[in-house]
Each structure stands twice: as C-alpha cells, then as structure tokens.
C-alpha cells in the first residue's frame, strides 16, 4: 500500500516530538529516567496475553461437588440429552472455578439413555431434574427455568466449558450497562479460535457468527457490543424479563432460531442485547445435532429461518442486506462514533488525567455513543485495556494496529468526532485526520496547558534553557489549537490565559470528572496526613522534595505522633532518600485502591509549587469529605476560597501552621469537609460536565 504525504508527516512529527521530549526530559529527569522512557517508545510490542483456555482432563467418573446455594442470585440451566462426557466436562469446569456470585446449577434431563441417569445424582450440590418425556431443547429450557429460583437465569449448553470468571462477567454487565436485557458470552472453539462474538442478522433472517475462526483478541471482537442475537449456548437474562416474554417461543420446536427470536423479543421490550467477550465459554459446536442442515434436527434450522423472518419482517427490513460483510462501521452505523487518540489507554487508578478521561468515556457511552480508543504507542494496556473493553470501548493495539495512518485509512470515514489528547499526540495526528477523516470534528484535549506548566517550572528552577523549551512548547501547542475545531481546557484560569494568548481559538471547559463518594469517617476517627500523585509528573516530585524536606519537620514539632503517607507510582530516589531521613514519613508507592486513605486519613496536602490545569488530588480528597491544605498553585481555577473551602499557604512556616491548625480544630475540619463535597458536586462531577460533553461530542 502506498504511503501518503500525511503518513510521512505523521512519522516525521512523531520522531521530532520524541527527540524534543527527550531533550526536555534530560534537563528535568536526568539521563537514566530519560533512557527508560525512550526504550518504552522504541521497544517491540509482544502480542497481548490472555489466560490459556481451561479444559478439564478426560477421566473416569467419580463423585464431585459443584457450587450451590439455597438462595441463588443466578440459576444455571443446562438442558441435556445423552452426551454425558460433555456434561461432566461442563460441570467439572464449574466446580474447578466456581463463580463468586451465589448460584444454583440445574441439569434438566430430556430423556437421556446413557450414564447421565446414573452419574448426575452423584454430583453433590447439583439439582438434577428429570423431565417426564422428551420434548427437545426449547421445552427443556423452558421447563428448567420454570424450576429455577435465581433472580437471573443462564442458559448453558452441556457441550460447553465455561472459563474462569465467565458468570461474574455476565452478571457485572447488568450492573454497569444501562438497559441491559440479555448478555451472551464470547464462544470459542477448543483450539482457541473464535466461534462467535455475538451474531449479526441480515434482512432475510439469515445470520452471521461475528468473528468466526478469527482471533478472540482481535479488537473487533473483544469489546462489549450490542448484538443482533447471542447464541443460546451461553446467555443470561433477568428471570423477571424471561417470565414477561414467556420464555423461548415454542413455534421453533424442537430447536434453532429460538435464541435469535428471544434476542429480538428482548429488544422489542425496550432492552439491549449484548455480547460480553470478558465472559469466555468454549463450545464444542454441533455435538448434539451435528452441522448438516440437510437432515436430522439440524434441518429445522432451515425451516425455522423462514418462521423467524415472517415473524420479525418489519424489524428485519432495517437490517443489512444478505451478503454484506459485517465490519465495525456497519455494526455501529446507528451510533455516533467517537475516536480518541492518546499515547496509552487511561489507568484511572494511577493519575487524575486518566480518571478524567475514563469518566469522560463512561459519559459518552451512557449517551449512546460508540467510543474507539487508539493508543499511538500501539500497546495493549493489560487490565486497563480490558476494563475499557468490558465497558464497550473498541480498543486497538498491535499486532492488529499496524500503524495509526494505515488504520485511519480504513476506519477514518466512520467517525463524527476525533479527540486528540495532549499537544504532541495532536501534532502527529492532525495531518492524518485531515487526510483520512476530514468529516470528523477535531477536538484537542490539552489535559493542561503544557507550556504554562513548563514555564512555571522553569521560573521556579531559574533555568533559562527550560524557559526557552517552554516557549517552543507554547508555539507548538497554539498551532495545534489553530488546527483543531475545539480546544478542551480543564480550568477557568487556563481559559483566561488563552483569551490573551489565542483569543480566536474556540474553547470548551471539561474539568476533572469525579463521582462524589461521601463524607467518609468523622474527624475523631481519622488521623495522619496524605499526598496522592504519580511521580512521572515533575511538579509532584518537586512538591514532595519541598514538603518532606522543609515542611513536615515543622509539623512534627507540634504534632509528634502524626504520620505522613506518600502515595504514588515511580517514587524517585531523591524522594525516598529524604523520607528515610525524616521520621514519620511512609512511602507507599503505587496503591491500587486509595479509598481507605481518603476515607480514614484526616488531612490531604497539595504542596505544589508549579504546574497547570486542575489538580485531581485535590478533587479526589474533597469528593471523600477530606479537607485539604494546599498552595495557591494547587487550587488555581478550582473555585476554592481560603478558609471557606480549603486552607492555602505558600511558604513552609505558613503551610505547617495551616496543617496543625486544621488537624486540631474539629469545627474547622467539619466546615471544610462539607464545603469540599459541595465544590466537587457543583464544579467537578459528571453531572456538572454533562451539558458541555454533549455540546462538544454529540451535537
């Protein structure tokens, strides 16, 4: 495929940007940290690693136990007709990796004549239900659900091997996805190839198993998605909805198209039908009825297609024509598609910028948009990528993402909006978007004004070279704004700065996005001080050098029992060395869940001496009712007033005095706690940003 001028400009801009950032990093981080960052950008990418499939070994029958509960939340209904070896493999998988949720397992015997009758009663915890007469798959399912006791019901074929976590992933989807009505698993062949990640139905009633024979890791098939139907081999829905719909339609007896019909009925009732690839189930397709549609039970598949097409003709008229090849563009054609370009997927447990981006994505999904995330470094982000996929974000990565330009050449035309995050990513990607997605609204998310942060750091350090770098960053950042349709800022202070520096730029404000957690523990139950911030961010390194080196000893002189908890990834040696010399300082490094430190520590400190944007560490504490002592820089643009919402101090003596005063004064502490919660709700909550998000991305 030929390389366009836009592709060449992308490569050149990327190399120039990497060189410039490396030079700046040498001055601020030193050669070791800079070399590590260069290696990250240039290393080869391994393919993403998923857990190997669990397949229970074939062995002689011996009694065993499966999960069971007298008050199940989920009922797993397994219809069987002979093939006891498959049934045992399915049950052994459930026993080997029991779900976290309380469940019951019902094997509904539809007239087996093999060892099923002898062996199933010996499986402890199993509800073995024998039907009076053979009636086929549909009647066995309806009968089994009628005997179940759970709030949710799962239909599970006996020729399946559920993988660890499969059931909990299905159930979790109902809690995180609005209007979820039916959720199916990703089905795999025993050799690991994809059998189906949801189904596509064409206008004549024929169907397509999406992703058949391809890799289950392919980004097209590995994210939560609305599907036309999900196979009855493994699907979940609320028992109340099942009863409302009357179960599987018996006009399709004995089998085939009943699961497709159920999905259409769920949708007609106002609910969504979803496939959740985080739920993986191995399915030995064709065990019960073979694959030949010309004879036997399988022949009903052909007959029932006509029955289905006649029943749902008005709905099918809006479906793709037979022969269409399903693609992401086709499957999401009814949604507004939003592209996000950033170096890496957000890690909301590590930095406030990631939390803001993650919550923005959640807001877009809740508004019905389809979000596609392309990390320009092409890396699979492990758990962070999988978390986005479970929400329904189409995330791309190597080897399926060969290059940003190549990918945009194929996918660019489907986007209504393309958001570029941070100025160096935007500089690289703007030419590609102009060439391959000219119809898309170009949104530039600054995260913060980099040139403003760099300028302040240079002025604090008294470094003329850094000051020149900041001016070069200013030129590049303003050029990106000029090439974008909308520039997104995080604070009113930055908006005021741009009114001076670039008054013609269209600006919108989407600040930090937090959910208000609540007040946490009262003053009397709290103790100590805390700081939260990642140390790849130079302002945080400087803040801890100043606080631990100059401020904390003054606090300990008046509060000798107080401890200081320093939380954040990538703690540099200079901070660790300072902490080792200062009694009462505890360096925790990265902490996956910081909530206990927000809910149980008395005061948060934000001693930043330079920076820009809005400080997520301040929002995070206030969202938990934890008062904050901060510098003027740390609360810039956050609608906070000294003494009313926060305590502000900028020199070591004043900062220490403010901490000691707040630590001892319960009434002041309570006042600031309530005011901080109110501030987050009014200015930094998801509700506060909703109108702007709709205006930028959806109108």
């Amino acid at each position: 495929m030929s390389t366009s001028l836009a592709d060449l400009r992308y490569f050149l801009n990327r190399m120039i940007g990497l060189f410039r950032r490396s030079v700046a990093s040498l001055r601020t981080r030193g050669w070791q940290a800079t070399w590590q960052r260069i290696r990250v950008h240039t290393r080869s990418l391994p393919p993403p690693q998923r857990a190997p499939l669990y397949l229970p070994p074939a062995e002689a029958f011996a009694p065993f136990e499966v999960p069971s509960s007298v008050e199940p939340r989920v009922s797993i209904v397994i219809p069987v007709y002979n093939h006891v070896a498959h049934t045992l493999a399915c049950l052994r998988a459930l026993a080997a990796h029991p779900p976290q949720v309380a469940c019951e397992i019902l094997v509904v015997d539809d007239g087996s004549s093999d060892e099923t009758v002898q062996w199933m009663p010996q499986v402890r915890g199993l509800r073995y239900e024998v039907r009076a007469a053979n009636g086929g798959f549909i009647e066995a399912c309806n009968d089994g659900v009628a005997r179940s006791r759970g709030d949710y019901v799962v239909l599970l074929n006996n020729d399946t091997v559920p993988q660890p976590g499969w059931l909990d992933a299905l159930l979790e989807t109902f809690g995180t996805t609005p209007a979820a009505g039916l959720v199916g698993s990703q089905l795999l062949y025993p050799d690991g190839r994809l059998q189906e990640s949801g189904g596509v139905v064409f206008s004549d009633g024929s169907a397509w198993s999406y992703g058949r024979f391809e890799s289950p890791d392919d980004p097209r098939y590995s994210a939560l998605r609305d599907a036309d139907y999900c196979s009855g081999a493994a699907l979940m829905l609320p028992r109340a909805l099942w009863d409302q719909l009357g179960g599987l339609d018996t006009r399709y007896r004995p089998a085939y198209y009943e699961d497709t019909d159920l999905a259409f009925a769920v949708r007609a009732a106002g609910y969504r039908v979803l496939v959740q690839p985080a739920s993986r189930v191995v399915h030995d397709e064709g065990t019960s009825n073979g694959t030949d549609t010309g004879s036997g039970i399988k022949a009903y598949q052909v007959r029932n297609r006509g029955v289905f097409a006649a029943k749902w003709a008005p709905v099918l008229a809006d479906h793709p024509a037979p022969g269409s090849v399903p693609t992401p563009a086709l499957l999401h054609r009814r949604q507004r598609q939003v592209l996000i370009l950033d170096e890496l997927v957000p890690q909301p447990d590590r930095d406030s910028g990631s939390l803001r981006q993650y919550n923005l994505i959640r807001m877009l999904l809740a508004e019905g948009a389809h979000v596609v995330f392309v990390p320009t470094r092409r890396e699979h982000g492990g758990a962070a990528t999988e978390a986005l996929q479970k929400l329904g974000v189409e995330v791309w990565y190597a080897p399926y993402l060969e290059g940003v330009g190549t990918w945009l050449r194929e996918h660019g035309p489907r986007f209504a909006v393309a958001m570029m995050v941070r100025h160096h990513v935007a500089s690289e990607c703007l030419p590609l978007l102009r060439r391959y997605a000219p119809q898309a609204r170009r949104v530039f998310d600054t995260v913060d004004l980099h040139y403003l942060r760099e300028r302040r750091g240079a002025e604090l350090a008294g470094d003329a070279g850094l000051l020149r770098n900041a001016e070069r960053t200013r030129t590049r950042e303003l050029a990106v704004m000029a090439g974008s349709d909308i520039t997104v800022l995080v604070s009113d202070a930055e908006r005021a700065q741009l009114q001076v520096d670039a008054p013609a730029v269209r600006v919108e404000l989407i600040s930090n996005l937090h959910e208000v957690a609540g007040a946490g523990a009262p003053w009397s139950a709290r103790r100590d001080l805390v700081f939260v911030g990642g140390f790849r961010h130079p302002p945080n390194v400087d803040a801890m050098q100043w606080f631990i080196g100059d401020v904390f000893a003054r606090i300990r002189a008046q509060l000798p029992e107080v401890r200081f908890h320093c939380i954040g990834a990538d703690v540099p040696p200079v901070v660790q060395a300072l902490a080792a010399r200062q009694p009462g300082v505890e360096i925790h490094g990265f902490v996956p869940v910081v909530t206990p430190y927000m809910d149980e520590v008395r005061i948060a400190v934000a001693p930043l001496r330079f920076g820009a944007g809005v400080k997520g560490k301040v929002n995070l504490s206030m969202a938990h009712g934890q008062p904050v002592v901060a510098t003027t820089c740390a609360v810039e643009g956050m609608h906070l007033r000294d003494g009313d919402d926060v305590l502000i101090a900028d020199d070591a003596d004043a900062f220490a005095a403010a901490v000691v005063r707040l630590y001892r004064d319960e009434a002041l502490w309570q006042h600031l706690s309530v005011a901080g919660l109110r501030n987050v709700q009014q200015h930094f909550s998801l509700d506060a940003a909703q109108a702007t998000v709709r205006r930028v991305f959806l109108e």
Side-chain angles (χ1 to χ4, degrees):
M1 184 178 292
S2 61
T3 300
S4 71
L5 179 60
D7 293 294
L8 292 174
R9 289 180 65 187
Y10 170 78
F11 177 78
L12 181 62
N13 288 341
R14 187 164 177 78
M15 293 301 100
I16 292 174
L18 180 59
F19 174 76
R20 286 171 173 164
R21 297 198 302 280
S22 299
V23 171
S25 181
L26 280 171
R27 300 184 71 94
T28 57
R29 297 183 175 91
W31 74 268
Q32 289 180 312
T34 300
W35 175 240
Q36 189 273 337
R37 291 167 72 87
I38 293 173
R39 288 180 61 201
V40 164
H41 279 271
T42 57
R43 69 189 179 196
S44 59
L45 299 174
Q49 297 295 315
R50 298 182 80 179
L53 294 180
Y54 171 77
L55 298 172
E59 54 190 19
F61 175 76
F64 61 98
E65 185 174 3
V66 296
S68 62
S69 172
V70 295
E71 295 183 350
R73 185 146 189 239
V74 177
S75 297
I76 303 172
V77 176
I78 307 174
V80 304
Y81 178 65
N82 294 326
H83 301 285
V84 68
H86 285 287
T87 306
L88 285 176
C90 178
L91 295 176
R92 283 171 174 154
L94 293 169
H97 301 284
Q100 295 180 5
V101 64
C103 65
E104 64 174 354
I105 303 172
L106 296 82
V107 165
V108 182
D109 192 338
D110 196 33
S112 297
S113 57
D114 61 0
E115 292 88 348
T116 298
V117 180
Q118 289 78 41
W119 291 350
M120 291 301 106
Q122 300 182 59
V123 179
R124 297 183 299 277
L126 179 69
R127 287 186 58 189
Y128 177 51
E129 305 284 345
V130 180
R131 302 192 68 237
N134 177 273
F137 178 81
I138 291 174
E139 291 195 1
C141 288
N142 286 343
D143 191 0
V145 174
R147 304 184 193 206
S148 68
R149 300 171 298 189
D151 298 324
Y152 290 84
V153 61
V154 171
L155 300 185
L156 185 68
N157 277 15
N158 71 323
D159 57 354
T160 61
V161 179
Q163 298 301 293
W166 74 286
L167 187 67
D168 299 301
L170 291 178
L171 183 61
E172 182 184 358
T173 306
F174 285 93
T176 59
T177 309
L182 184 153
V183 183
S185 301
Q186 185 188 72
L187 301 181
L188 307 173
Y189 288 107
D191 65 3
R193 291 178 302 162
L194 183 58
Q195 184 181 118
E196 175 181 300
S197 193
V200 180
V201 177
F202 299 114
S203 57
D204 65 347
S206 60
W208 178 297
S209 296
Y210 192 50
R212 193 179 189 86
F213 301 130
E214 301 206 47
S215 168
D217 291 328
D218 190 308
R220 293 174 293 173
Y221 316 124
S222 51
L224 178 73
R225 177 182 64 80
D226 285 274
D228 289 340
Y229 76 91
C230 293
S231 169
L235 60 80
M236 175 188 284
L237 71 166
R239 171 66 187 275
L241 180 57
W242 172 279
D243 291 342
Q244 174 187 331
L245 300 177
L248 299 179
D249 191 334
T250 55
R251 77 181 72 187
Y252 299 101
R253 287 183 299 186
Y256 294 110
Y257 268 89
E258 73 287 335
D259 47 8
T260 312
D261 179 89
L262 177 65
F264 274 58
V266 166
R267 214 164 17 249
Y271 298 93
R272 295 172 67 184
V273 174
L274 301 146
V275 58
Q276 177 55 277
S279 173
R280 301 194 300 164
V281 171
V282 175
H283 181 217
D284 192 4
E285 184 182 42
T287 292
S288 300
N289 302 318
T291 58
D292 180 10
T293 60
S295 61
I297 297 295
K298 191 71 174 176
Y300 283 96
Q301 182 172 344
V302 177
R303 189 208 75 169
N304 285 348
R305 171 182 155 187
V307 174
F308 170 81
K311 178 179 178 180
W312 295 100
V315 177
L316 289 172
D318 193 38
H319 280 237
S324 304
V325 177
T327 64
L330 180 68
L331 298 185
H332 298 285
R333 64 194 180 279
R334 297 188 182 93
Q335 295 173 275
R336 190 168 178 85
Q337 299 196 47
V338 177
L339 170 65
I340 299 177
L341 293 156
D342 198 356
E343 278 196 324
L344 299 168
V345 295
Q347 300 182 16
D349 57 352
R350 287 184 174 265
D351 64 86
S352 62
S354 286
L355 179 60
R356 170 178 172 268
Q357 190 178 94
Y358 183 81
N359 281 334
L360 173 61
I361 289 170
R362 289 176 56 212
M363 294 178 70
L364 292 172
L365 294 173
E367 293 283 353
H370 177 58
V371 179
V372 180
F373 198 103
V374 173
T376 57
R377 276 168 45 180
R378 303 170 50 237
E379 292 184 11
H380 187 289
T385 291
E386 292 168 1
L388 289 182
Q389 291 174 326
K390 286 175 73 173
L391 290 177
V393 180
E394 183 186 321
V395 187
W396 287 78
Y397 36 77
Y400 311 98
L401 175 62
E402 295 181 0
V404 176
T406 304
W407 186 89
L408 277 172
R409 190 176 305 177
E410 177 182 355
H411 294 273
R414 64 179 164 123
F415 295 105
V417 180
M419 183 174 79
M420 305 158 288
V421 183
R422 298 175 180 85
H423 74 92
H424 60 274
V425 172
S427 295
E428 297 161 6
C429 295
L430 266 172
L432 295 176
L433 290 175
R434 291 192 189 102
R435 174 67 185 271
Y436 299 125
Q439 79 293 336
R441 175 183 297 167
R442 296 188 292 271
V443 177
F444 168 41
D445 182 10
T446 62
V447 180
D448 61 24
L449 285 180
H450 284 52
Y451 74 84
L452 187 60
R453 170 164 48 83
E454 291 178 9
R455 180 193 297 164
R456 290 170 172 174
E459 291 170 348
L460 182 67
D463 189 320
L466 287 179
L467 194 58
R468 288 191 295 272
N469 284 344
E471 289 308 304
R472 285 191 285 267
T473 298
R474 177 181 181 275
T475 300
R476 292 192 294 271
E477 204 161 7
L478 295 183
V480 168
M481 295 177 190
S484 303
D485 298 310
I486 300 175
T487 294
V488 174
L489 302 175
V490 296
S491 78
D492 279 322
E494 291 188 341
R495 179 156 54 185
Q497 181 72 45
L498 272 190
Q499 286 174 350
V500 175
D501 292 350
V505 169
R506 179 184 170 186
V507 169
E508 293 282 2
L509 186 64
I510 301 177
S511 197
N512 286 352
L513 300 170
H514 292 267
E515 295 192 269
V516 180
W523 175 87
S524 59
R526 293 175 180 251
R527 57 186 52 82
D528 297 336
L529 315 176
V530 66
F531 171 87
V532 178
F535 287 95
R536 291 188 179 184
H537 191 51
N540 289 339
V541 177
D542 174 80
M544 286 300 92
Q545 288 181 269
W546 180 60
F547 183 79
I548 297 173
D550 294 346
V551 179
F552 188 62
R554 303 168 197 249
I555 296 171
R556 286 273 289 192
Q558 300 181 68
L559 301 171
E561 301 301 318
V562 77
R563 294 176 298 162
F564 173 56
H565 303 275
C566 180
I567 296 172
D570 307 302
V571 182
V574 63
V575 173
Q576 293 175 336
L578 277 173
R581 297 194 296 268
Q582 176 59 60
V585 176
E586 297 185 17
I587 302 293
H588 296 279
F590 171 67
V591 174
V593 180
V594 299
T595 302
Y597 292 93
M598 303 295 100
D599 288 339
E600 299 169 15
V601 172
R602 189 170 289 181
I603 297 172
V605 295
L608 281 81
R609 299 194 295 172
F610 71 97
V614 172
K615 310 306 179 292
K617 56 182 64 65
V618 175
N619 294 139
L620 181 64
S621 291
M622 290 184 171
H624 287 261
Q626 182 180 58
V628 178
V629 178
T631 58
T632 301
C633 175
V635 298
E636 180 183 58
M638 298 186 68
H639 314 280
L640 297 170
R641 296 163 297 175
D642 183 26
D644 289 331
D645 313 283
V646 66
L647 295 187
I648 300 174
D650 291 312
D651 65 72
D653 284 333
F655 202 98
V659 170
V660 172
R661 175 191 171 202
L662 181 57
Y663 200 85
R664 290 172 170 169
D665 191 335
E666 181 178 359
L668 176 61
W669 187 95
Q670 184 63 36
H671 175 81
L672 296 186
S673 173
V674 172
L677 285 165
R678 184 171 57 245
N679 174 269
V680 173
Q681 181 64 54
Q682 290 178 350
H683 301 290
F684 303 104
S685 65
L686 276 63
D687 289 341
Q690 188 174 62
T692 307
V693 168
R694 287 174 175 168
R695 187 165 59 247
V696 172
F697 295 96
L698 304 175
E699 293 179 359

